[in-house]
């Protein structure tokens, strides 16, 4: 059986609902459907989830949120009426409206998925199963055993279900939101619980591109990649698939197909345990993020000075900043964080390190981008990394740092923000043009 998740753009209006029904009806194995909240459309420039966040912000400021709520209500009623459905969505809207004043963030923001799934279940003729009936989190971790027990008690032989994504409940029965993009996670978890043969992730693109199409026009599509490659690319910034959605299906080796709701006839990207040798490329994908800061500390024989490193980590921990990478050398150690995570604390962190940690120097680099080259081939063919470095050097792109991940499938370059797009373009163009030569030379 197949679990099919449809993103916000796939359920944005009545026309998109009809596309979903055609896709689901085309294959009887699609027995479980997960939906996001209605997203942007030609006539609706704001996602329902973002409108619900607006309601919360207006409520918290003591301002009138009813115009925004009424717009959301009109949107769902409009979809219902355009599809000639019978579901009494007004009853759900009235209940939600009555609870806004005291509603938690998680409950309020999750209502977009709830309402969208209610309409979709009626349209498909499937059973609506609210995520709060079985998507159970305990101490912020998903409880697979409890979830499976609850789900099996709900399902009957031949059940065909629609489940809202993005939320579940905690151990106290309160709504628990997943990270943004969490409907991917919901679909992945459901595929795991049902031991699905395939997890389909339907979106508005025909698979994953090798590089950001906003930077590389006509970027080559990745036909196949591994779970590990997808997770690394998702972490480094591709927006097609949520990073945390990989593990639930990887655990049971359930393939993922990333497909286009608007063009279901097109091949997408298949995610599997091992890529066929004929489908493997020297570089699977290139992704990145802008606006990092790098704090580098220096002290003679620092790698042997556990007392100083302990002081340093104590300072870093005090500021509660999430640092992504910590490359080290004999005398130096670097902390890397997104500028948005550090905010205005950089100066205070630098002063604390200088005043409390007996260091030789503390240096700061700002406006840094990280560009990741991801491929299973990097570990098998070490010369690939050297050739990419040589190519960037010849392009006069200054490399601020290089991080080779222990997994051997990701190579990360730190470059100035102003060189971000240029770096991705240089790697993409040269790898594609010289791939045959690289294969022959390695």
């Amino acid at each position: 059986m197949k679990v099919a998740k449809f993103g916000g753009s796939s359920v944005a209006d009545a026309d998109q609902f009809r596309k979903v029904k055609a896709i689901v009806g085309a294959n009887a194995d699609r027995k479980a459907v997960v939906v996001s909240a209605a997203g942007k459309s030609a006539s609706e420039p704001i996602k329902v989830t973002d409108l619900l966040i607006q309601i919360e912000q207006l409520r918290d400021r003591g301002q009138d949120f009813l115009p925004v709520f009424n717009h959301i209500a009109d949107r769902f009623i409009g979809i219902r009426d355009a599809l000639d459905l019978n579901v009494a969505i007004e009853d759900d809207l009235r209940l939600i409206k009555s609870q806004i004043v005291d509603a938690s963030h998680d409950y309020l923001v999750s209502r977009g998925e709830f309402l969208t799934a209610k309409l979709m279940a009626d349209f498909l003729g499937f059973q609506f199963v609210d995520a709060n009936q079985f998507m159970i989190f305990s101490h912020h971790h998903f409880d697979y055993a409890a979830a499976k027990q609850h789900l099996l008690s709900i399902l009957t032989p031949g059940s065909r279900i629609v489940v809202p994504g993005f939320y579940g409940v905690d151990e106290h029965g309160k709504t628990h939101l997943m990270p943004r993009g969490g409907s991917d996670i919901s679909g992945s978890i459901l595929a795991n619980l049902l031991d699905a043969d395939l997890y389909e992730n339907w979106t508005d693109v025909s698979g994953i591109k090798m590089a950001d199409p906003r930077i590389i026009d006509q970027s080559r599509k990745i036909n196949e990649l591994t779970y590990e490659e997808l997770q690394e690319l998702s972490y480094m910034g591709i927006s097609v698939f949520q990073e945390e959605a990989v593990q639930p299906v990887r655990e049971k080796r359930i393939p993922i197909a990333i497909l286009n709701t608007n063009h279901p006839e097109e091949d997408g990207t298949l995610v599997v345990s091992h890529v066929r040798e004929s489908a493997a490329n020297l570089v699977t994908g290139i992704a990145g993020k802008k606006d990092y800061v790098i704090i580098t500390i220096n002290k003679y024989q620092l790698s042997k000075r556990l007392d100083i490193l302990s002081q340093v980590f104590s300072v870093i921990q005090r500021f509660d900043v999430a640092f992504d990478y910590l490359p080290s050398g004999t005398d130096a150690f670097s902390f890397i964080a997104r500028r948005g995570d550090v905010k205005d604390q950089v100066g205070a962190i630098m002063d604390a390190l200088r005043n409390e940690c007996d260091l030789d120097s503390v240096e700061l680099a700002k406006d840094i981008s990280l560009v990741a080259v991801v491929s299973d081939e990097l570990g098998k063919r070490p010369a690939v990394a050297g050739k990419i470095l040589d190519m960037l050097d010849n392009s006069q792109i200054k490399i601020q740092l290089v991080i080779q991940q222990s997994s051997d499938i990701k190579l990360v370059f730190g470059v100035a923000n102003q060189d971000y797009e240029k770096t991705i373009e240089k790697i993409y163009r040269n790898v594609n043009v010289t791939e045959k030569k690289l294969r022959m030379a390695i």
Side-chain angles (χ1 to χ4, degrees):
M1 64 95 67
K2 298 179 181 180
V3 171
K5 176 262 175 180
F6 292 89
S9 62
S10 300
V11 293
D13 55 30
D15 286 340
Q16 293 300 100
F17 267 60
R18 294 185 183 100
K19 292 177 184 178
V20 170
K21 187 171 186 176
I23 290 168
V24 173
N27 191 318
D29 289 338
R30 294 185 178 113
K31 297 180 180 179
V33 173
V34 175
V35 295
S36 298
K40 296 179 183 179
S41 68
S43 60
E44 294 286 350
I46 304 177
K47 301 175 182 179
V48 165
T49 299
D50 291 329
L51 290 172
L52 289 165
I53 292 172
Q54 283 185 25
I55 288 176
E56 181 184 34
Q57 293 169 341
L58 290 167
R59 179 201 66 184
D60 292 347
R61 293 197 297 262
Q63 296 176 312
D64 185 9
F65 55 76
L66 285 179
V68 181
F69 177 81
N70 290 337
H71 179 79
I72 293 173
D74 290 343
R75 184 169 178 181
F76 281 108
I77 291 171
I79 293 173
R80 190 271 312 272
D81 292 347
L83 298 173
D84 294 323
L85 304 180
N86 296 317
V87 60
I89 202 73
E90 291 92 346
D91 293 342
D92 295 304
L93 289 164
R94 276 192 291 270
L95 177 60
I96 294 167
K97 181 180 177 181
S98 71
Q99 296 178 328
I100 288 175
V101 173
D102 298 315
S104 68
H105 168 82
D106 286 17
Y107 171 81
L108 182 56
V109 175
S110 70
R111 295 305 87 188
E113 278 75 13
F114 172 84
L115 294 167
T116 304
K118 269 293 196 72
L119 293 178
M120 184 61 73
D122 193 59
F123 188 48
L124 296 178
F126 283 20
Q127 176 186 356
F128 171 76
V129 177
D130 197 348
N132 65 17
Q133 294 179 260
F134 72 94
M135 286 280 186
I136 302 169
F137 290 82
S138 179
H139 304 290
H140 300 286
H141 296 287
F142 190 74
D143 189 335
Y144 281 90
K148 188 151 191 172
Q149 180 181 359
H150 280 75
L151 180 60
L152 292 178
S153 71
I154 295 167
L155 299 181
T156 57
S159 289
R160 299 169 74 83
I161 62 174
V162 173
V163 177
F166 191 33
Y167 71 93
V169 291
D170 64 16
E171 60 269 28
H172 307 295
K174 295 181 179 179
T175 304
H176 175 89
L177 277 188
M178 301 176 194
R180 197 70 188 261
S183 293
D184 289 356
I185 304 173
S186 299
S188 181
I189 288 174
L190 187 58
N192 178 299
L193 295 175
L194 294 174
D195 293 310
D197 300 307
L198 180 67
Y199 171 40
E200 296 179 334
N201 194 281
W202 293 88
T203 180
D204 56 1
V205 294
S206 298
I208 299 174
K209 301 293 185 180
M210 182 178 171
D212 189 336
R214 292 169 297 185
I215 299 172
I216 306 296
D217 188 35
Q218 301 297 317
S219 175
R220 187 169 71 185
K221 179 173 67 68
I222 303 172
N223 294 319
E224 291 183 19
L225 74 165
T226 66
Y227 299 110
E228 291 77 12
E229 289 173 326
L230 175 60
Q231 188 158 0
E232 294 290 2
L233 287 169
S234 297
Y235 177 77
M236 285 304 301
I238 68 163
S239 58
V240 177
F241 199 81
Q242 220 281 353
E243 174 199 352
E244 294 180 33
V246 176
Q247 182 56 29
V249 286
R250 176 170 61 182
E251 182 180 282
K252 291 192 173 179
R253 292 297 185 251
I254 299 168
I256 306 167
I258 298 172
L259 303 160
N260 191 338
T261 304
N262 301 314
H263 297 284
E265 76 283 356
E266 294 182 359
D267 292 333
T269 295
L270 187 66
V271 187
V272 290
S273 300
H274 301 286
V275 173
R276 292 174 294 118
E277 187 173 348
S278 60
N281 295 309
L282 288 177
V283 170
T284 300
I286 308 160
K289 300 176 183 177
K290 282 187 172 183
D291 297 321
Y292 280 84
V293 297
I294 304 175
I295 298 174
T296 301
I297 59 174
N298 294 278
K299 178 74 175 181
Y300 177 67
Q301 294 289 289
L302 179 61
S303 61
K304 298 179 181 179
R305 296 296 304 273
L306 297 182
D307 56 332
I308 293 178
L309 285 173
S310 178
Q311 294 172 354
V312 167
F313 279 106
S314 178
V315 168
I316 294 297
Q317 186 177 26
R318 190 166 76 229
F319 285 90
D320 193 28
V321 174
F323 286 92
D324 284 344
Y325 298 97
L326 301 98
S328 60
T330 303
D331 302 327
F333 209 98
S334 294
F335 296 89
I336 307 172
R338 298 294 295 271
R339 179 74 196 194
D341 293 336
V342 180
K343 297 179 181 176
D344 56 356
Q345 298 185 92
V346 174
I349 295 172
M350 299 274 288
D351 288 342
L353 289 171
R354 290 189 182 107
N355 296 331
E356 301 176 28
C357 300
D358 189 27
L359 297 166
D360 292 340
S361 65
V362 181
E363 301 168 359
L364 174 67
K366 299 186 294 184
D367 302 322
I368 301 297
S369 293
L370 298 184
V371 176
V373 176
V374 175
S375 175
D376 271 342
E377 296 293 307
L378 290 175
K380 303 172 188 174
R381 305 167 185 264
V384 174
K387 289 183 178 293
I388 293 173
L389 277 168
D390 287 344
M391 177 268 296
L392 292 177
D393 185 54
N394 292 336
S395 300
Q396 298 183 325
I397 295 173
K398 184 179 179 181
I399 306 298
Q400 305 277 354
L401 79 162
V402 179
I403 307 168
Q404 176 73 60
Q405 296 294 298
S406 58
S407 63
D408 285 332
I409 72 166
K410 182 169 72 174
L411 184 66
V412 180
F413 303 98
V415 299
N417 275 349
Q418 63 191 33
D419 290 330
Y420 174 72
E421 290 83 2
K422 180 181 178 183
T423 301
I424 290 177
E425 185 173 4
K426 286 292 182 183
I427 295 172
Y428 179 86
R429 301 295 181 199
N430 280 272
V431 166
N432 277 283
V433 168
T434 64
E435 183 160 335
K436 289 183 180 179
K437 293 180 181 179
L438 281 170
R439 286 188 181 278
M440 291 174 65
I442 296 171

